[in-house]
């Protein structure tokens, strides 16, 4: 199922349940997965310097938020926050971080994706099975700019 939000387009597996909370898309899978997509638009007719400054500020805020979330005392960071050029296919800037519960049973992965006009924050929480990270990586890789009407 194709979804559009924050000037991005992304695909959710058929059969996943969808809810909204404020500006967040929340999806639940069949095996206890939770995928949250939120974001912010950079709007206005201001000069490019002001838009660039707004984009940097939004990106910085999102990077701080994912680092703080992954640093929760019940989690262990298994991949530190870093720019991840291979995570997305459509030329966006992307940063990823991965953590898991101390007992290793739950995976907690986050990404910040920045385009010229928007910043997207993706959170994925799931039972820590090998195919879960592969699903998440494919989800990120397939995010693209939404077509304009």
């Amino acid at each position: 199922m194709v979804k559009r939000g924050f000037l991005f387009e992304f695909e959710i597996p058929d059969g996943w349940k969808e809810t909204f909370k404020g500006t967040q898309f929340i999806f639940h899978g069949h095996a206890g997965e939770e995928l949250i997509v939120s974001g912010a638009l950079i709007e206005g007719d201001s000069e490019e310097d002001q838009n660039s400054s707004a984009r940097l500020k939004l990106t910085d805020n999102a990077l701080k938020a994912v680092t703080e979330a992954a640093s929760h005392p019940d989690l262990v960071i298994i991949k530190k926050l870093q720019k991840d050029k291979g995570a997305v296919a459509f030329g966006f800037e992307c940063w990823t971080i991965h953590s898991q519960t101390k007992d290793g049973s739950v995976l907690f992965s986050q990404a910040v994706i920045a385009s010229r006009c928007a910043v997207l924050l993706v959170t994925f929480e799931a039972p820590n099975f090998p195919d879960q990270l592969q699903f998440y990586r494919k989800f990120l890789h397939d995010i693209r700019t939404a077509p304009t009407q």
Side-chain angles (χ1 to χ4, degrees):
M1 136 180 59
V2 175
K3 292 292 178 185
R4 290 185 181 141
F6 311 103
L7 303 177
F8 291 95
E9 187 172 77
F10 45 91
E11 294 188 40
I12 303 300
D14 290 336
W16 280 39
K17 294 182 179 161
E18 175 182 6
T19 58
F20 296 97
K21 183 178 181 181
T23 60
Q24 295 180 328
F25 293 88
I26 304 171
F27 305 96
H28 290 100
H30 305 293
E33 307 97 334
E34 181 176 72
L35 181 66
I36 302 171
V37 180
S38 59
L41 301 177
I42 302 159
E43 298 180 300
D45 295 328
S46 59
E47 294 182 27
E48 180 59 33
D49 287 348
Q50 290 176 330
N51 285 346
S52 179
S53 176
R55 181 175 45 259
L56 288 173
K57 186 173 182 177
L58 285 170
T59 301
D60 187 52
N61 287 345
L63 294 172
K64 287 177 184 174
V66 299
T67 301
E68 185 176 308
S71 300
H72 189 280
D74 293 336
L75 299 174
V76 175
I77 295 174
I78 55 176
K79 181 187 158 281
K80 293 181 181 183
L81 180 68
Q82 62 187 19
K83 198 169 227 182
D84 192 340
K85 293 182 181 182
V88 291
F90 290 92
F92 307 123
E93 288 187 286
C94 181
W95 295 262
T96 57
I97 187 168
H98 303 288
S99 54
Q100 65 186 18
T101 53
K102 289 183 178 179
D103 67 2
S105 65
V106 179
L107 175 69
F108 188 73
S109 297
Q110 296 177 286
V112 174
I113 301 168
S115 74
R116 196 174 70 68
C117 302
V119 176
L120 199 65
L121 193 150
V122 178
T123 300
F124 180 63
E125 184 175 344
N128 197 1
F129 303 132
D131 61 336
Q132 295 291 8
L133 190 54
Q134 183 180 356
F135 161 81
Y136 174 69
R137 296 290 292 184
K138 181 175 177 359
F139 174 82
L140 292 180
H141 191 266
D142 291 344
I143 291 174
R144 55 199 171 268
T145 303
T148 56
Q149 293 348 19

